[in-house]
Amino acid sequence: MSWFEFNSVLGNIGIFAILALSLNVICGMTGLLQLGQAGFFAIGAYAAGLTSIYFTFPELGVLNFAISASAAMMAAGIFSIILGIPCLRLKGDYLAIVTLGFGEITRLVLINLMFPGGKMHPGEKIGGATGIKFTEFPGDLWPNSPNYTAEFASWWFIWIAVIIICVFLINIKKSSFGRAMMCIREDEIAAQAMGINISKYKMIAFLLSAVVAGLAGALFFHKELSIAPGKFNLICSIEILLMIVLGGLGSFSGAVTGAVVLGITPYILRHVEICGYRLGEYQQLMYAVLLIILIRLAPNGIFGMNEVPVWIGKLLKMKNKPPAKQNETA
Amino acid sequence: MDNFLFFLTSGLCIGAVYALIALGYTLVYGIIKLINFAHGEFYMIGAYAGFGIYLVLPSGTPAILSIPLIILSSGIAGIIIAVLTEQIAYKPIRKSGRLAALLTAIGVSFLLQNLASFINKANPLQYPSDKSGSIGEICQRSIVIGGGGIKIIQFVYIPLTIVLTLILWHIVMKTNFGRAMRAVSQDPDAAALMGIDINSVIRKTFLLGGLMAGIAGALIGFQSVIEPMMGFMPGLKAFIAAVVGGIGSIPGAVLGGFIIGIVENMVLFCNIPSGYKDVAAFVVLILVLLIRPQGILGSNVREKV
Amino acid sequence: MFLDVRKLCVAYGAIDALKSVSLHINEGEIVALLGANGAGKSSVLDAISRITTAKSGKIIFNGTDITNEKPENIVRKGIAHCPEGRKIFFDLTVLENLQLGAYTINDQYAIEANLEKIFTYFPVLKSRRSQRGGTLSGGEQQMLAVGRALMSSPKLLLLDEPSLGLAPKLIDHIFDIIREINHKEKVTVFLIEQNANEALLHADRAYVLENGRISINSDNAEELLKDPHIIKAYLGG
């Protein structure tokens, strides 16, 4: 694998780590099943993309990212409120379907919707199945900054974001917000009886989750510079879910770990051969089997609700404990 | 008015197929509260099995014989895959909670799609229509209704769906087994106290669902291509249909199927770009869940504290 | 011995609900199991009808070891369990509930005959036969639950708190019917009650469950009524 490829892969894993973190807020912490996270990912990416295409000021340099990222997060946030309000009173399976529907609607609409090309693609409409691009624009668009590129999201940029977001979310988990959300996950009715305003906290969870996903979308655009709706599909949403299931529902560091493991695996598989069968070709098949087996063996993910350091601590403690005594029978 | 009739007929025909698939969803959800994401794949496998039988049949077989045979074998394939899936994948995690069940179902769905991809790597399959009198040719014949061509084979869908629904309705409402199904779906512990073998009832429910899905697969296989991903969208739409009609309700599933079929075609009738056709189902879903979350014919289930 | 329970131990997780329970029931008797709330009485019945699995011990019914029998076979062996909270099917009609009680019986005539019998014992069920189970009053639901259990022509009837939530007049009525069924249909009855007074008035023998074990085993339920310990503990004396 070349250095360039390695960069790109690392960056992708980082973006998915952020997506996993975002999904963990709503699924892992608050216990609401969300199958349309790809939708917010897409909205963030498109918002950032369109903002960049229409409003780039090369003099500002990196600040342009701040502009497009803000647009991405705001757009995702607004849509999360639109989606969230009807979803507040839906339970379990119904919520899953509606969010799935939302993800699919977003994808289908983006396949069909065309946007004006702006100054970057003058006289054209952009969008549709081929998506939008921040490349191949007229050579004299920014005469003063001929070397300007919007490719801000290098791998370390992304991973700094991962770390900041992870720490931020772990702190939320420890705060009263986080505790309220976890109460809702455990038992909604009991939470209500304790005076927790479920609607408010569910909405916050939705919002937070979407905004972080939107940020991931912005990073994605500024990494690829060319995005198309095909990528933001149900499989994408399921992959993100798989990451947090793997890493442990409720654990943010677990979410990142899950993203890393699931991100690296295809590349390892590509170079592994068993009996003349290149495993890489069977990747999706193996994922499916893995998912089924994983759910059987570890329904709560590897780390459960614990953050990685806590889990390691528990593991070490267990190794040092003397064997438990047998229960005395009467 | 002309155009409208065409789209209405199209809608009813595809609605009948959605209804068949939706019946399977609603039966399974009713009994074990599982959204069987893999149900669309049962439909896909039914289609493949039907085509497989077609390949095996002697080439001179008259369509009047081969078509029912294909439908029958698709149904059987649907039964087999449904029961296998239930025994291997769903039964072990029955007590593991909703998320586990959902993820397992999704896993099975992907698994089946990928398996089909391996077996059928190249082009999608289609019943060859070169020979006159062959299945493919018969299924291409159409008549003009309301300004558009409706394939004649589609006129089989509605009566078939209605007959199957009536049979299912009779089973569920009038037979001992049907009573047992309803008992298990309401209170499995109490049902066990009646001497009902819960595992057997669940297995047989999957059997019925798989049968419906398989038959639907054969039907669609007659009029369009057979490929590994063919179950994804119809499966999703059929599930939406079941929810719209009221999940757990047999008439609801059928009603939902027809509604989705008609609404989809109305979108085309209104000259909305056809790319948005698939969005229609989801929009209907969200509207229904907002206005009447239990579905049109569904019953209110109050959560007891 | 018709029903022989030996050293039954039932645990839920790490907690032993029943530590070692031994009791027996003879054919044709009405036997009561008394005890405070949470003493574990229901667990005894649940273990017999196999809703739960015993941790250790044996349950022998009519000569067969049913300790690890499959739950769906218990009815066929002749045991019907009317569980705590009745558990009738709310969305099914009274008639359908009763029909489900006879799920294991294949003989249509026998089912019809049983149905007529139940309607004789509980006329209100006949008048409400097409109503949904959930629309019945508490007392009527209890009658439906008992009637449903009887539909399988059981030899042993397990009743879990038949008087729960019922008005005193209805309690009398229910127990009268239980006695009548025991006498006329030759159905052995094993019942749990918190309402010790009623239970002891109608039962032949009684056991008292305390701390997961049988603390009192009386061959004469009526005498137990006069026992000062019982009066203090369970009869509010």
Side-chain angles (χ1 to χ4, degrees):
Chain A
M1 193 189 293
S2 66
W3 176 243
F4 173 73
E5 235 188 80
F6 181 71
N7 257 340
S8 179
V9 169
L10 208 55
N12 268 337
I13 295 180
I15 290 177
F16 271 92
I18 297 179
L19 283 170
L21 288 171
S22 75
L23 193 65
N24 199 31
V25 170
I26 186 118
C27 284
M29 232 176 35
T30 318
L32 300 174
L33 197 47
Q34 222 275 51
L35 293 181
Q37 198 68 336
F40 292 121
F41 185 32
I43 290 175
Y46 267 76
L50 289 172
T51 310
S52 294
I53 289 175
Y54 298 149
F55 305 114
T56 288
F57 308 102
E59 318 83 66
L60 295 177
V62 185
L63 277 184
N64 282 299
F65 177 74
I67 300 176
S68 57
S70 313
M73 293 196 283
M74 268 203 301
I78 293 174
F79 276 96
S80 79
I81 297 180
I82 298 177
L83 177 68
I85 294 181
C87 282
L88 286 179
R89 52 190 172 112
L90 292 178
K91 300 248 195 58
D93 296 335
Y94 289 133
L95 183 63
I97 315 154
V98 169
T99 50
L100 191 155
F102 165 75
E104 283 298 286
I105 292 181
T106 307
R107 180 180 66 89
L108 290 168
V109 166
L110 285 173
I111 288 182
N112 287 292
L113 208 50
M114 301 298 277
F115 303 96
K119 278 197 243 157
M120 191 171 291
H121 305 281
E124 296 175 10
K125 286 238 173 206
I126 52 175
T130 47
I132 59 179
K133 290 201 274 232
F134 191 95
T135 50
E136 300 165 20
F137 41 82
D140 57 350
L141 189 56
W142 299 305
N144 298 327
S145 321
N147 294 323
Y148 175 75
T149 170
E151 207 172 333
F152 302 118
S154 41
W155 66 267
W156 49 265
F157 190 83
I158 294 175
W159 277 93
I160 290 179
V162 173
I163 296 175
I164 295 178
I165 296 174
C166 190
V167 169
F168 173 65
L169 288 176
I170 292 182
N171 280 319
I172 299 254
K173 181 169 155 185
K174 292 191 200 157
S175 75
S176 66
F177 276 114
R179 280 196 300 265
M181 291 183 207
M182 289 192 278
C183 271
I184 295 177
R185 169 192 155 143
E186 292 305 310
D187 188 338
E188 255 190 58
I189 296 177
Q192 219 167 11
M194 286 203 298
I196 296 179
N197 184 344
I198 319 191
S199 297
K200 170 174 153 194
Y201 285 102
K202 277 192 192 177
M203 201 62 245
I204 294 178
F206 250 103
L207 193 61
L208 186 56
S209 160
V211 164
V212 174
L215 179 58
L219 285 167
F220 185 66
F221 177 80
H222 285 285
K223 173 178 181 290
E224 302 287 312
L225 293 185
S226 170
I227 54 175
K231 179 127 182 131
F232 307 106
N233 53 13
L234 181 61
I235 299 179
C236 176
S237 294
I238 303 280
E239 269 182 12
I240 306 172
L241 185 60
L242 195 44
M243 289 171 198
I244 61 170
V245 168
L246 184 62
L249 291 166
S251 165
F252 287 107
S253 41
V256 176
T257 314
V260 170
V261 169
L262 229 59
I264 291 185
T265 309
Y267 295 96
I268 298 180
L269 285 183
R270 223 174 269 178
H271 300 284
V272 171
E273 265 193 46
I274 293 186
C275 310
Y277 286 104
R278 280 219 268 138
L279 285 187
E281 286 174 25
Y282 301 91
Q283 180 193 321
Q284 278 225 343
L285 189 62
M286 286 178 57
Y287 270 17
V289 175
L290 185 74
L291 181 55
I292 298 176
I293 297 179
L294 188 69
I295 298 293
R296 264 301 277 288
L297 298 177
N300 264 329
I302 298 183
F303 298 111
M305 278 203 67
N306 306 313
E307 297 300 330
V308 177
V310 177
W311 180 80
I312 295 181
K314 282 195 180 176
L315 206 60
L316 291 173
K317 257 196 247 166
M318 258 175 48
K319 293 207 167 132
N320 294 330
K321 228 167 64 170
K325 275 202 217 167
Q326 287 282 4
N327 274 333
E328 288 178 8
T329 41
Chain B
M1 209 53 213
D2 243 12
N3 245 343
F4 179 75
L5 199 57
F6 166 71
F7 285 114
L8 183 64
T9 316
S10 282
L12 284 171
C13 291
I14 193 72
V17 176
Y18 289 152
L20 277 182
I21 310 177
L23 279 171
Y25 269 118
T26 224
L27 284 175
V28 167
Y29 187 83
I31 204 148
I32 52 173
K33 306 290 178 287
L34 165 76
I35 303 178
N36 181 15
F37 259 101
H39 194 69
E41 273 56 60
F42 298 167
Y43 152 92
M44 178 263 291
I45 288 186
Y48 271 102
F51 194 82
I53 289 293
Y54 163 76
L55 291 176
V56 166
L57 287 174
S59 62
T61 321
I64 195 89
L65 202 60
S66 50
I67 289 184
L69 265 175
I70 291 175
I71 294 181
L72 185 65
S73 21
S74 294
I76 294 178
I79 291 179
I80 295 177
I81 191 71
V83 173
L84 270 178
T85 303
E86 194 271 323
Q87 292 289 121
I88 300 178
Y90 296 153
K91 184 165 165 211
I93 48 110
R94 224 181 264 165
K95 304 234 180 337
S96 299
R98 264 214 172 101
L99 182 60
L102 197 71
L103 290 175
T104 306
I106 293 174
V108 173
S109 171
F110 279 3
L111 182 66
L112 293 174
Q113 280 170 7
N114 279 290
L115 282 177
S117 292
F118 279 117
I119 301 174
N120 174 213
K121 265 186 232 185
N123 303 319
L125 303 173
Q126 196 164 17
Y127 288 97
S129 46
D130 36 11
K131 277 212 297 227
S132 164
S134 72
I135 293 181
E137 194 271 313
I138 290 184
C139 294
Q140 291 299 320
R141 292 190 203 156
S142 57
I143 65 175
V144 175
I145 289 190
I150 303 259
K151 298 198 179 131
I152 297 190
I153 187 81
Q154 289 184 294
F155 287 109
V156 168
Y157 298 174
I158 300 178
L160 189 58
T161 298
I162 293 182
V163 165
L164 287 172
T165 304
L166 287 173
I167 295 178
L168 199 61
W169 180 249
H170 176 84
I171 294 179
V172 169
M173 294 309 273
K174 302 264 192 257
T175 67
N176 219 13
F177 173 69
R179 261 193 301 274
M181 277 174 71
R182 285 183 288 146
V184 171
S185 87
Q186 272 180 45
D187 191 337
D189 292 330
L193 288 176
M194 306 287 105
I196 296 175
D197 183 350
I198 310 281
N199 288 329
S200 166
V201 170
I202 294 178
R203 202 166 40 232
K204 291 189 184 134
T205 306
F206 268 88
L207 190 156
L208 288 172
L211 176 67
M212 302 282 158
I215 291 179
L219 294 181
I220 288 289
F222 288 137
Q223 69 161 76
S224 89
V225 295
I226 301 176
E227 47 100 9
M229 296 297 288
M230 70 185 278
F232 177 63
M233 261 305 174
L236 220 45
K237 289 181 192 168
F239 180 66
I240 291 175
V243 170
V244 162
I247 196 118
S249 153
I250 290 179
V254 176
L255 180 66
F258 283 119
I259 289 180
I260 297 288
I262 292 177
V263 168
E264 264 189 3
N265 277 279
M266 285 302 115
V267 163
L268 295 176
F269 172 63
C270 298
N271 281 317
I272 298 175
S274 66
Y276 289 105
K277 183 178 103 162
D278 291 339
V279 182
F282 294 105
V283 173
V284 173
L285 171 72
I286 295 185
L287 283 176
V288 168
L289 283 181
L290 280 177
I291 303 176
R292 194 181 152 86
Q294 67 267 38
I296 299 178
L297 297 180
S299 51
N300 235 329
V301 180
R302 274 172 291 115
E303 202 178 338
K304 283 195 257 172
V305 196
Chain C
M1 276 183 282
F2 204 38
L3 179 73
D4 187 12
V5 176
R6 294 184 203 160
K7 298 211 180 104
L8 185 66
C9 173
V10 172
Y12 298 107
I15 302 174
D16 284 345
L18 301 176
K19 300 208 177 66
S20 179
V21 169
S22 299
L23 54 86
H24 70 272
I25 309 206
N26 301 316
E27 196 161 0
E29 291 187 304
I30 301 182
V31 176
L33 180 63
L34 309 175
N37 211 353
K41 308 189 291 297
S42 289
S43 304
V44 177
L45 293 192
D46 288 351
I48 298 173
S49 70
R50 299 286 294 116
I51 294 179
T52 45
T53 304
K55 188 163 129 183
S56 64
K58 266 200 184 337
I59 303 173
I60 302 180
F61 175 67
N62 219 2
T64 332
D65 185 345
I66 58 168
T67 323
N68 288 310
E69 185 61 75
K70 286 201 205 143
E72 52 261 16
N73 290 335
I74 292 295
V75 174
R76 275 172 239 267
K77 295 249 186 282
I79 301 178
H81 182 175
C82 203
E84 195 177 2
R86 290 159 216 148
K87 283 188 164 288
I88 60 167
F89 299 109
F90 288 111
D91 281 328
L92 301 184
T93 64
V94 168
L95 182 61
E96 285 172 331
N97 267 277
L98 293 172
Q99 285 170 324
L100 276 168
Y103 182 75
T104 51
I105 300 184
N106 288 318
D107 182 357
Q108 277 301 116
Y109 292 118
I111 298 179
E112 282 299 320
N114 280 348
L115 210 53
E116 281 313 309
K117 240 191 285 180
I118 306 293
F119 285 150
T120 324
Y121 284 119
F122 305 111
V124 72
L125 291 183
K126 182 165 190 177
S127 57
R128 297 202 192 283
R129 59 201 292 170
S130 313
Q131 274 180 247
R132 276 176 59 247
T135 59
L136 265 54
S137 73
E140 289 162 351
Q141 285 186 8
Q142 184 60 65
M143 292 193 247
L144 177 57
V146 175
R148 185 179 65 174
L150 290 171
M151 283 295 291
S152 60
S153 305
K155 304 196 195 85
L156 172 63
L157 181 61
L158 306 174
L159 290 172
D160 196 329
E161 309 249 13
S163 73
L164 194 64
L166 296 189
K169 208 167 69 160
L170 272 172
I171 297 180
D172 267 339
H173 185 53
I174 284 274
F175 273 103
D176 281 338
I177 295 185
I178 291 174
R179 266 241 282 251
E180 203 181 329
I181 291 171
N182 166 256
H183 189 66
K184 274 213 213 135
E185 313 292 335
K186 309 277 185 269
V187 176
T188 310
V189 177
F190 184 19
L191 62 92
I192 296 179
E193 261 303 336
Q194 263 190 71
N195 185 340
N197 209 4
E198 281 295 331
L200 290 174
L201 273 175
H202 299 273
D204 299 318
R205 291 192 299 117
Y207 292 93
V208 178
L209 189 64
E210 239 174 328
N211 295 324
R213 288 169 215 275
I214 300 289
S215 60
I216 298 179
N217 172 357
S218 163
D219 279 335
N220 191 334
E222 255 182 83
E223 263 181 32
L224 211 55
L225 266 173
K226 306 181 193 132
D227 184 325
H229 174 84
I230 296 290
I231 294 177
K232 198 165 117 193
Y234 301 110
L235 299 182

